[in-house]
């Protein structure tokens, strides 16, 4: 009996000691590891929010960043951050279908403008007769296939077709990664050729108004951030728009 009691007592003592060690271990974890975990999680939250903030409110920041003449920070950021910025009058059904991978693009409520969030492009599928005030053209002239997209860190392209007297001309306007105008070309017989100075000047107003139709409402209704990270945005993008 004495032997059994001794064994039982030693088991109880061992259990008590192990419980004490566990409590000490938990206390050590709370003192050492818990602050580290909290710090890491906090840093990740701050980085995640900062990334979201810089993209979601990038139009506001682009409007206020110092930049060299000829660059176009606002145009660049609209195309680059198309999936993050606020786009007014989106068709929520088409956005849901896009999320389900049923369609590739999301349209506005009128169905005129389509947004491709994967390829960062904006497309107007509507054909404009007499360009609807875009430029003073006669009634035999139509414009269609208006599309602006990114060349992934190389630059941007504005593409459109002008039909006059049943003759179609496809135009491509090239911009650098800073939004600087590079050249305008006409596609004929599957080959690009540059335009002369007169035709270039004649199309400048048209190009500006096409861009206004593509993303003018997005810029007009851009959101203002509650937490302003303008200094960080400027630091990250200053070289891009000032070299």
């Amino acid at each position: 009996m004495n032997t059994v009691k001794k064994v039982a007592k030693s088991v109880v003592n061992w259990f008590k000691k192990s419980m004490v060690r566990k409590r000490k271990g938990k206390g050590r974890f709370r003192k050492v590891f818990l602050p580290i975990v909290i710090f890491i999680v906090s840093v990740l939250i701050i980085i995640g929010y900062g990334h979201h903030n810089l993209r979601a409110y990038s139009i506001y920041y682009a409007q206020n960043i110092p930049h060299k003449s000829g660059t176009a920070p606002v145009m660049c950021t609209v195309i680059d951050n198309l999936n993050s910025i606020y786009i007014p009058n989106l068709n929520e059904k088409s956005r849901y279908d896009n999320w389900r991978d049923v369609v590739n693009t999301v349209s506005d409520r009128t169905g005129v403008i389509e947004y491709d969030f994967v390829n960062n492009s904006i497309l107007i599928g509507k054909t404009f007769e007499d360009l609807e005030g875009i430029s003073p053209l006669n009634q035999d002239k139509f414009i269609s296939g208006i599309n602006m997209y990114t060349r992934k860190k190389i630059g941007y392209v504005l593409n459109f077709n002008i039909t006059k007297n049943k003759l179609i001309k496809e135009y491509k306007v090239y911009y650098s990664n800073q939004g600087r105008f590079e050249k305008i070309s006409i596609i004929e017989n599957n080959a690009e050729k540059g335009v002369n100075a007169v035709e270039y000047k004649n199309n400048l107003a048209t190009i500006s108004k096409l861009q206004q139709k593509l993303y003018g409402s997005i810029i007009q209704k851009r959101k203002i951030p509650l937490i302003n990270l303008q200094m960080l945005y400027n630091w990250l993008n200053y070289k891009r728009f000032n070299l």
Side-chain angles (χ1 to χ4, degrees):
M1 286 296 289
N2 290 334
T3 305
V4 173
K5 285 182 179 180
K6 286 180 181 179
V7 171
K9 190 175 181 180
S10 62
V11 169
V12 170
N13 290 335
W14 174 84
F15 181 75
K16 286 181 179 179
K17 288 179 182 178
S18 64
M19 291 301 293
V20 170
R21 282 196 296 270
K22 283 183 180 180
R23 289 193 192 100
K24 288 182 179 179
K26 286 182 179 179
R28 192 178 297 114
F29 174 81
R30 288 173 183 169
K31 287 181 180 179
V32 179
F33 294 105
L34 192 59
I36 295 174
V37 171
I38 292 173
F39 174 76
I40 293 172
V41 171
S42 300
V43 169
L44 291 175
I45 291 172
I46 292 170
I47 292 173
Y49 173 76
H51 182 263
H52 166 75
N53 182 299
L54 291 172
R55 288 177 64 86
Y57 303 107
S58 55
I59 295 176
Y60 172 84
Y61 297 136
Q63 289 175 323
N64 293 284
I65 187 174
H67 60 279
K68 276 192 174 180
S69 177
T71 62
V74 174
M75 181 194 77
C76 297
T77 198
V78 168
I79 304 300
D80 291 344
N81 300 309
L82 196 60
N83 195 29
S84 301
I85 57 178
Y86 171 71
I87 300 176
N89 301 318
L90 268 188
N91 183 336
E92 293 303 327
K93 184 181 183 302
S94 70
R95 181 185 269 279
Y96 176 67
D97 288 339
N98 175 258
W99 177 75
R100 290 171 55 220
D101 207 22
V102 176
V103 295
N104 295 324
T105 58
V106 177
S107 66
D108 66 351
R109 290 174 188 167
T110 64
V112 172
I113 304 178
E114 292 185 341
Y115 305 95
D116 186 339
F117 295 138
V118 176
N119 298 305
N120 289 62
S121 70
I122 308 175
L123 168 69
I124 296 180
K126 181 181 178 182
T127 297
F128 293 96
E129 184 175 353
D130 192 24
L131 303 189
E132 295 190 356
I134 291 179
S135 66
L137 302 172
N138 60 54
Q139 292 185 354
D140 293 328
K141 205 162 186 178
F142 303 88
I143 191 162
S144 61
I146 307 165
N147 182 24
M148 189 156 195
Y149 56 92
T150 178
R151 291 185 288 161
K152 298 295 182 186
K153 296 187 177 181
I154 299 174
Y156 309 86
V157 179
L158 171 63
N159 193 79
F160 59 94
N161 302 322
I162 290 183
T163 305
K164 185 177 182 181
N165 299 326
K166 297 183 179 180
L167 178 65
I168 300 176
K169 283 186 177 181
E170 181 183 353
Y171 289 81
K172 283 184 179 292
V173 186
Y174 291 90
Y175 299 90
S176 70
N177 193 44
Q178 294 77 33
R180 285 191 177 93
F181 170 81
E182 290 184 333
K183 66 177 181 176
I184 177 171
S185 301
I186 300 177
I187 313 298
E188 289 184 349
N189 300 320
N190 295 321
E192 284 192 28
K193 70 173 187 178
V195 302
N196 57 46
V198 174
E199 190 165 8
Y200 165 66
K201 288 181 180 179
N202 289 340
N203 281 282
L204 279 179
T206 299
I207 291 167
S208 177
K209 289 178 181 178
L210 287 177
Q211 290 174 318
Q212 178 66 24
K213 279 195 174 290
L214 280 167
Y215 53 79
S217 62
I218 296 176
I219 296 172
Q220 186 180 9
K221 297 185 178 180
R222 60 98 173 96
K223 301 294 185 181
I224 299 175
L226 292 175
I227 300 176
N228 194 314
L229 300 180
Q230 184 72 55
M231 291 181 66
L232 178 58
Y233 183 90
N234 291 356
W235 180 71
L236 292 171
N237 293 279
Y238 186 83
K239 285 186 177 179
R240 177 181 179 185
F241 298 111
N242 286 275
L243 291 180

